[in-house]
Amino acid sequence: MKKQIIATEKAPKAIGPYSQGVKAGGFIFFSGQIPLDPVTGEIRGATCAEQAEQVMENIGAMLAAVGVDFTAVVKTTIFLTDLADFAAVNEIYGRRFPVDPPARSTVEVKGLPRGVKVEIEVVAFGD
């Protein structure tokens, strides 16, 4: 099995030694997305809800780069710095998965890169 590195200018560039995504054996593993503007590299959104909207936009752009959409997502992990933001993030997240949502974990963490409030990683399946 050969791995393929996924990269798109429509999502934020990696800010460390990692790839935006890697396709292997039909699965596409995407690095966690934080609310970075793909053009400026700056954080977008002051509230967790605003940041979650940008995160989901970034995920959508990465999925589109490999010719799939949110229906191809099979697993997600949501990282929050405050579980009190869960309901707001859940509402934004849920709009992208109106039917047959993926498996999901949500965890509270002490901190996230660049001081953001939310990070989401996804695993998708696609040819």
Side-chain angles (χ1 to χ4, degrees):
M1 171 177 26
K2 184 177 156 187
K3 73 178 184 180
Q4 173 189 353
I5 302 301
I6 307 302
T8 177
E9 295 293 321
K10 295 184 179 179
K13 292 180 170 124
I15 58 174
Y18 60 88
S19 299
Q20 285 176 323
V22 176
K23 186 173 184 179
F27 285 97
I28 309 148
F29 302 88
F30 292 103
S31 294
Q33 287 296 298
I34 61 174
L36 295 179
D37 181 294
V39 175
T40 67
E42 297 299 316
I43 296 168
R44 290 186 74 189
T47 68
C48 192
E50 292 167 343
Q51 290 185 7
E53 285 286 0
Q54 183 63 47
V55 167
M56 297 308 283
E57 290 296 319
N58 293 346
I59 291 169
M62 290 191 321
L63 292 167
V66 293
V68 299
D69 59 23
F70 284 97
T71 62
V73 176
V74 295
K75 172 70 170 83
T76 66
T77 306
I78 301 173
F79 303 94
L80 296 171
T81 57
D82 187 347
L83 278 177
D85 292 320
F86 178 81
V89 171
N90 198 48
E91 190 276 323
I92 291 158
Y93 172 96
R95 282 189 263 139
R96 273 48 173 221
F97 303 106
V99 295
D100 299 327
R104 177 180 82 184
S105 301
T106 303
V107 294
E108 183 177 57
V109 295
K110 183 177 180 180
L112 289 167
R114 301 191 63 189
V116 301
K117 301 172 184 296
V118 60
E119 178 175 354
I120 301 175
E121 68 178 20
V122 302
V123 177
F125 190 80
D127 294 328

